Amino acid sequence: MSIIIWIIVIILAVLAVIALFVPKQYAIEREKIINTPKHEVFDYIKFIKNQEQYSKWVKTDPEMKVTLTGTDGNIGFIYAWDGNKKAGAGEQEITGVTDGERITTEVRFLRPFKGVAHIYMTTEAVTEHSTKVTWGMTGTSPYPMNLMTAMMKGVLAKDIDISLNDLKQILETNN
């Protein structure tokens, strides 16, 4: 074997060993204060279709095929997508709604990698005219994908921050 192949094998072996010690569970949470009353914020974010306006991930492929099943804003609603290489394919299902407080969804990724993530968004009144929105994501990545997920947590957090900033701009502009 050439020296380059040996170096690649050693690097892969080291990464495989490191992945043994990286947690399989992950959690990311970001928040943003939006200068809009809580009920208006929640009434906007509970509709998954509105993510087309503010979610960095959904906006990755404006040409992707979208299929909607059920009644948006209600448990059981499914937003399925099939997009380009960057957007991939999957579906997001509303799994819980506490009116005015919290919406939870399960995202099932089909492509480029199979996986499941649990997403939640909560609203909390800061004042009569401002709301703290918390956006969180949790899940489990099997070995050795857990290493990639651990390395991607910063990127995912940044994407949520970008999405929350877009959400803030939309809601404060409409207010």
Side-chain angles (χ1 to χ4, degrees):
M1 286 186 157
S2 74
I3 189 88
I4 293 173
I5 293 175
W6 274 109
I7 291 171
I8 292 170
V9 168
I10 290 169
I11 290 171
L12 291 175
V14 168
L15 291 174
V17 170
I18 290 171
L20 289 170
F21 299 98
V22 173
K24 290 185 177 86
Q25 288 78 25
Y26 65 90
I28 303 162
E29 186 175 272
R30 310 303 285 173
E31 58 188 43
K32 177 68 70 181
I33 303 295
I34 298 177
N35 296 312
T36 303
K38 178 182 163 187
H39 72 277
E40 289 180 34
V41 174
F42 187 81
D43 286 348
Y44 187 81
I45 66 170
K46 76 177 183 180
F47 295 106
I48 303 303
K49 183 114 170 70
N50 285 341
Q51 289 182 10
E52 292 176 351
Q53 307 306 312
Y54 66 89
S55 171
K56 182 178 187 301
W57 301 313
V58 176
K59 295 190 307 184
T60 299
D61 179 8
E63 302 298 318
M64 72 182 163
K65 180 183 173 206
V66 173
T67 305
L68 309 175
T69 307
T71 304
D72 199 356
N74 291 282
I75 293 173
F77 174 77
I78 297 173
Y79 181 104
W81 75 93
D82 188 359
N84 60 22
K85 281 177 141 179
K86 223 172 177 183
E91 59 186 21
Q92 181 175 16
E93 180 177 355
I94 297 176
T95 56
V97 178
T98 303
D99 197 38
E101 304 285 331
R102 181 181 180 96
I103 181 164
T104 58
T105 63
E106 180 177 271
V107 181
R108 297 178 286 268
F109 301 99
L110 303 173
R111 181 173 47 80
F113 302 104
K114 288 191 176 198
V116 175
H118 300 277
I119 310 290
Y120 60 90
M121 292 182 82
T122 64
T123 55
E124 178 184 335
V126 177
T127 69
E128 184 181 340
H129 300 288
S130 65
T131 306
K132 178 171 77 171
V133 176
T134 303
W135 187 335
M137 173 188 294
T138 62
T140 302
S141 293
Y143 173 86
M145 293 300 292
N146 59 323
L147 181 61
M148 186 176 88
T149 302
M151 293 187 302
M152 291 293 296
K153 277 179 69 171
V155 172
L156 294 172
K158 184 178 176 185
D159 288 351
I160 292 173
D161 284 337
I162 290 168
S163 300
L164 284 170
N165 285 333
D166 287 353
L167 177 65
K168 177 180 175 72
Q169 182 179 3
I170 289 166
L171 291 173
E172 289 181 359
T173 300
N174 292 336
N175 200 3

